[in-house]
Amino acid sequence: MINIWSLKKANANVAQKKPKVSAAQIRVQKDLSELELPKTMKTHFPVAEDLLNFELEISPDEGFYAGGTFKFSFAVNGNYPHEPPKVKCQQKIYHPNIDNDGNICLNILREDWKPVLTLNSVMVGLQYLLLEPNADDPLNKSAAEDLRSNRKNFEINVRRSLGGGSVSGFQYDNVLTKK
Amino acid sequence: MLTEENIDAKRWDGIYKLLDRSSLIHPDFQPIEEIKDFVKEAKILVIGAGGLGCEILKNLALSGFRDIHVIDMDTIDISNLNRQFLFRRADVGKSKAETAATFVNRRVQGVNVTPHFCKIQDKDEDFYSEFALIICGLDSIEARRWINATLVGMADPESPDTMKPLIDGGTEGFKGQARVILPRMTSCYECSMDMLSKPTGFPLCTIANTPRLPEHCIEWASVLEWPKVHGDRKADTDDPKDIQWLYETALARAKEFNIQGVTYSLTQGVVKNIIPAIASTNAIIAASCCNEALKIATTSAKYLDNYMMYTGNDSVYTYTFQHQRKDDCPVCGQSALKLEFRGDKTLEDFIEYLKEKPDAQLKKPSVAIGGKPLYMPAPKQLEEALRPNLEKTLKELLSSGDEITITDTTLPFSLQIVLTLV
Ligand SMILES: [Zn+2]
């Protein structure tokens, strides 16, 4: 190495470069530019320059939650893709895997996250959660119980909640898709 | 007679014995005075003044290095005192970098340690380019990735002086590793990110409904309860009041589910993601890092090429191997392509050019500069918002010499282009 260093004096001028863009930013740019979203999903960027913070809207066309439009916030940090994006549901909805604070129980958002997964995987996962709520991973225990014991009744409760009605004394947000 | 000079010579006698002899090990080594001067004068940067950092500073100072800088944003916590031996009880609350520097300067005559009580991100390339080599003793992946990317970004193969050897040490309990990274020449920190197995937490539904471990209760308090009570304010993991709140909340939860073992220090460990630290593992890894620094600085012996794993979990093993550079490493995988383009042409012209360029043949490229998108083919709403940029000239959108980032489905990762406007 001293050989390299002996060149020091000869090579005093160091090429200056702009700060490099982070690996996380490049990866988000790639993930987003390759998204092929179905009609049921829409993104919303409050600030177009900021790719790391945005919203996803899902309007399922089938299943218990058809007719509603659900907003999820995405926050990607500097450790992406080695850490998953932080995703929260922006509305209060009656769902076995989403609690009233917007926390979501989706395996790839926590314990099963892997760097090979993309933002697209998460979006697909969220859509799947709306199509197939899962009574085995409850965050809203009574909703899970409801789904497990009586699907018909669960469906009625979901319908009521989507219109802003209350279920078991808790009032949910009106998330019906605006025509 | 004991003059300043021969006191000095005596002090470094051991090291100079090594440097005064021709080495049989390394054919390039010539015992010339210049090398001793180099060791004395070389500016060395130590990143982190914690468990590893204290050991590294001590070792460097005792190996003959004199111009040492140390950077650390942390202050001393009482829990550091068991292994971070440059600190005393009275130092609790003070800057680690400053306290460590004062201690070493007082203890080892002739050594000048300069502290920087700030984040590594507060310093720019001018600062890092002053050093001959950099030793990292960090426990944060994010900080390591940052310094790695910065040093790789600075390295210009045409100018060897811009390549700063990075020696990185890390420990976890009885395990550790030391590695030598020569930016753009050997594999970098990012190349090996997939070797890390960082758990990303427990399933949310377990935490919410079926906690079994004290950790589940602590995660419940920090992930689910904290935002409920404190809204958008994030818990400050360095603030004892916040930790106390999390601890009490977790403890109440644990009582409810009959779970034993929630303590204040476990709470601190879980929320700060503190990895177990053992003084002797730190000493082994730091010693290995500093010997590499001495070898690289003097060429008196072959340096580590390039990764040494140490494990004391199951008896004692070390394994040294050459970790391979990854061609598609987002940090060192490709160097920026230099390209000239007319500044009065539009962004759309430029994108068309990228699609037609025979060695690129991109399909739907996205273009960004410094993390900010100029054009994105998807998703729809972004495409619409950025579409007006297509009509703008490159001169309006960027300055000559800017580095732009291109991604495309046909590229494994991305393409960096330094664009000169003509
Ligand atoms: Zn690399």
Side-chain angles (χ1 to χ4, degrees):
Chain A
M1 288 309 290
I2 199 106
N3 294 335
I4 292 178
W5 286 327
S6 65
L7 296 169
K8 207 163 214 160
K9 281 138 213 150
N11 247 319
N13 56 333
V14 176
Q16 284 302 314
K17 282 187 204 149
K18 292 266 152 71
K20 267 195 87 97
V21 42
S22 77
Q25 279 170 321
I26 300 177
R27 178 55 198 274
V28 169
Q29 182 186 340
K30 185 169 173 64
D31 277 12
L32 288 174
S33 69
E34 291 172 17
L35 279 180
E36 286 179 25
L37 294 180
K39 276 203 209 71
T40 49
M41 286 196 231
K42 231 166 50 183
T43 56
H44 176 67
F45 289 78
V47 184
E49 275 97 67
D50 181 7
L51 297 181
L52 303 181
N53 295 287
F54 59 92
E55 242 179 55
L56 175 74
E57 273 182 23
I58 305 180
S59 314
D61 53 10
E62 53 181 316
F64 295 114
Y65 294 90
T69 294
F70 305 90
K71 293 183 180 164
F72 298 91
S73 63
F74 278 64
V76 183
N77 75 17
N79 263 342
Y80 185 75
H82 301 285
E83 275 178 29
K86 291 208 162 39
V87 181
K88 282 205 152 192
C89 182
Q90 299 292 84
Q91 304 133 319
K92 294 192 191 331
I93 64 171
Y94 183 69
H95 190 293
N97 313 108
I98 299 176
D99 72 15
N100 295 337
D101 298 305
N103 296 300
I104 303 161
C105 192
L106 178 62
N107 61 338
I108 58 168
L109 284 175
R110 283 180 73 85
E111 71 276 14
D112 290 333
W113 173 258
K114 287 179 188 61
V116 293
L117 296 172
T118 64
L119 292 175
N120 189 57
S121 332
V122 174
M123 293 175 182
V124 170
L126 292 171
Q127 167 142 296
Y128 183 75
L129 213 54
L130 290 169
L131 293 177
E132 293 286 338
N134 164 7
D136 296 332
D137 294 332
L139 264 190
N140 183 333
K141 251 186 168 167
S142 57
E145 213 31 64
D146 195 12
L147 171 62
R148 197 198 315 271
S149 57
N150 186 341
R151 283 178 80 88
K152 199 71 215 147
N153 194 51
F154 174 74
E155 190 175 352
I156 294 166
N157 280 335
V158 169
R159 295 268 82 158
R160 187 185 310 135
S161 73
L162 295 183
S166 31
V167 180
S168 327
F170 188 90
Q171 199 190 344
Y172 290 89
D173 288 339
N174 182 342
V175 294
L176 289 174
T177 309
K178 292 184 185 73
K179 292 282 154 60
Chain B
M1 257 254 306
L2 283 178
T3 62
E4 278 285 305
E5 212 161 294
N6 61 30
I7 290 177
D8 195 54
K10 276 244 172 331
R11 186 192 307 276
W12 307 119
D13 206 32
I15 301 262
Y16 288 172
K17 280 221 167 66
L18 174 81
L19 300 180
D20 282 336
R21 282 182 212 152
S22 286
S23 165
L24 297 172
I25 312 164
H26 201 293
D28 291 343
F29 181 69
Q30 292 296 325
I32 47 173
E33 280 305 303
E34 227 178 79
I35 291 176
K36 288 188 209 165
D37 291 341
F38 184 78
V39 174
K40 277 191 216 162
E41 287 161 17
K43 263 176 101 161
I44 310 290
L45 177 65
V46 178
I47 298 181
L52 278 167
C54 283
E55 289 280 352
I56 292 169
L57 287 168
K58 176 259 290 174
N59 292 349
L60 288 178
L62 298 176
S63 304
F65 290 101
R66 295 182 164 194
D67 190 357
I68 304 168
H69 288 238
V70 60
I71 182 165
D72 196 313
M73 63 176 287
D74 275 348
T75 51
I76 298 159
D77 186 83
I78 191 141
S79 66
N80 301 144
L81 300 180
N82 74 324
R83 60 192 185 282
Q84 301 180 18
F85 54 86
L86 301 178
F87 311 139
R88 299 288 172 268
R89 222 195 146 95
D91 299 324
V92 169
K94 291 185 194 160
S95 151
K96 286 189 178 179
E98 287 167 3
T99 310
T102 309
F103 190 102
V104 175
N105 288 342
R106 199 176 53 223
R107 177 64 183 76
V108 191
Q109 252 180 48
V111 168
N112 183 28
V113 182
T114 311
H116 302 273
F117 178 27
C118 62
K119 285 198 209 166
I120 54 171
Q121 290 88 344
D122 294 339
K123 299 288 187 184
D124 58 11
E125 290 192 2
D126 287 340
F127 173 80
Y128 292 108
S129 64
E130 284 175 39
F131 296 97
L133 65 84
I134 293 161
I135 306 188
C136 250
L138 287 165
D139 57 8
S140 149
I141 294 170
E142 203 164 346
R144 277 202 184 97
R145 289 179 79 193
W146 188 88
I147 189 68
N148 176 66
T150 302
L151 295 180
V152 173
M154 279 163 59
D156 178 353
E158 285 160 31
S159 158
D161 183 44
T162 62
M163 300 206 203
K164 308 293 178 188
L166 171 65
I167 302 171
D168 179 53
T171 70
E172 184 175 351
F174 284 112
K175 292 189 297 187
Q177 82 282 334
R179 63 190 295 190
V180 171
I181 295 171
L182 303 177
R184 295 221 182 268
M185 292 165 75
T186 66
S187 93
C188 78
Y189 186 71
E190 196 76 24
C191 289
S192 59
M193 278 299 287
D194 49 14
M195 285 169 70
L196 294 174
S197 54
K198 202 170 135 285
T200 36
F202 304 102
L204 219 46
C205 35
T206 305
I207 299 172
N209 296 304
T210 49
R212 295 179 309 276
L213 303 171
E215 287 86 351
H216 291 157
C217 301
I218 296 166
E219 286 235 356
W220 179 82
S222 71
V223 177
L224 296 172
E225 280 305 287
W226 178 275
K228 245 186 219 171
V229 176
H230 298 90
D232 280 340
R233 186 174 82 81
K234 287 219 167 71
D236 177 355
T237 55
D238 290 322
D239 186 342
K241 271 204 290 283
D242 286 2
I243 300 284
Q244 185 67 29
W245 187 92
L246 290 169
Y247 162 60
E248 284 166 10
T249 309
L251 193 64
R253 175 84 169 168
K255 283 228 172 80
E256 192 186 324
F257 285 87
N258 270 320
I259 296 168
Q260 309 294 317
V262 172
T263 61
Y264 182 88
S265 76
L266 184 71
T267 307
Q268 203 177 23
V270 170
V271 298
K272 289 184 86 166
N273 196 16
I274 296 175
I275 44 183
I278 298 174
S280 295
T281 311
N282 282 342
I284 291 166
I285 295 301
S288 150
C289 289
C290 292
N291 273 356
E292 293 316 309
L294 188 63
K295 289 192 279 179
I296 289 172
T298 61
T299 68
S300 55
K302 264 194 182 149
Y303 58 81
L304 167 64
D305 181 21
N306 52 32
Y307 201 116
M308 188 274 286
M309 277 190 340
Y310 167 86
T311 165
N313 275 350
D314 195 0
S315 185
V316 177
Y317 295 97
T318 65
Y319 177 56
T320 300
F321 64 102
Q322 199 178 46
H323 188 269
Q324 294 297 318
R325 248 184 97 171
K326 268 172 64 180
D327 287 338
D328 59 351
C329 169
V331 169
C332 76
Q334 67 272 69
S335 47
L337 194 75
K338 291 193 172 80
L339 206 66
E340 287 187 352
F341 208 78
R342 276 175 53 183
D344 58 356
K345 291 276 187 184
T346 63
L347 180 61
E348 187 160 29
D349 295 332
F350 180 66
I351 289 175
E352 281 310 306
Y353 165 79
L354 289 175
K355 288 187 192 166
E356 283 157 22
K357 201 173 173 291
D359 56 350
Q361 297 209 1
L362 305 182
K363 289 206 169 77
K364 283 180 175 176
S366 72
V367 185
I369 175 164
K372 289 185 182 156
L374 292 180
Y375 182 72
M376 300 277 289
K380 192 161 161 278
Q381 191 242 342
L382 259 190
E383 196 278 333
E384 283 165 3
L386 296 166
R387 202 182 295 158
N389 281 347
L390 289 175
E391 312 278 300
K392 292 186 186 155
T393 63
L394 294 181
K395 257 193 312 209
E396 293 174 80
L397 293 168
L398 48 95
S399 341
S400 192
D402 276 351
E403 188 171 321
I404 59 173
T405 305
I406 311 283
T407 73
D408 189 81
T409 43
T410 58
L411 295 169
F413 201 74
S414 72
L415 184 67
Q416 303 292 326
I417 298 181
V418 176
L419 200 57
T420 307
L421 299 182
V422 289

